[in-house]
Amino acid sequence: NQHGDILFSKYYCDTTITEEEAIDNEKILMWERTLYALTIGEWDKAKIKQIACAGDKYIVFCSVEELLFFVTGYGDDDELSISHLLTEMIALLRGILHKKGVTESNFLDNYSKICMSLDEMVSCGVVNLLDKAAIEQYVSLKAFTGAVLP
């Protein structure tokens, strides 16, 4: 949120590293502090997408109502691809949170549905599905009757 509290985060790592290395809380905390320090001065301008870099990592972020959303990537996941992913994530979240708006309390009230939806969208660090209707169908466990999925 705009106070710097993290409501949801998910990290994907290189599959060649061990699980112990992947779950290094100190590295995660350091990255979150870096992300905060790099972007806090831009949060008031984040009604439109903002782009920042930290070493070889790209950061795209924007605010929607009460919340700030960040997506980071490196290598093939450049600022264009993660910008597109962020756009689709926000569209999906707005669909889930449409009745009461994109607020912290509404986000937390719908936390399980949001987690399931984002897991459908990105799995193991790979963007699987960006079709909002298909994701909503998967999450609601109804038969999908739309376009053919890959």
Side-chain angles (χ1 to χ4, degrees), residues 24 48 60 138:
D24 185 345
I48 57 171
V60 178
Y138 281 130

Side-chain angles (χ1 to χ4, degrees), residues 51-118:
I51 298 172
C53 289
D56 64 342
K57 294 175 182 65
Y58 302 103
I59 304 161
V60 178
F61 64 100
C62 71
S63 66
V64 178
E65 297 179 36
E66 288 184 9
L67 302 179
L68 288 160
F69 297 92
F70 294 82
V71 177
T72 64
Y74 66 93
D76 291 341
D77 298 322
D78 63 10
E79 67 272 19
L80 294 175
S81 62
I82 62 174
S83 177
H84 180 64
L85 176 61
L86 181 59
T87 299
E88 297 303 321
M89 282 181 169
I90 289 171
L92 180 69
L93 291 170
R94 280 187 168 156
I96 294 169
L97 304 175
H98 72 279
K99 290 181 183 175
K100 295 181 182 175
V102 183
T103 64
E104 183 175 345
S105 63
N106 196 19
F107 186 95
L108 294 173
D109 288 346
N110 290 282
Y111 195 77
S112 60
K113 188 171 186 177
I114 290 168
C115 290
M116 289 174 57
S117 298
L118 294 176

Side-chain angles (χ1 to χ4, degrees), residues 116-133:
M116 289 174 57
S117 298
L118 294 176
D119 280 346
E120 287 295 330
M121 187 175 270
V122 179
S123 177
C124 299
V126 177
V127 177
N128 284 334
L129 188 58
L130 294 178
D131 183 338
K132 182 181 162 214

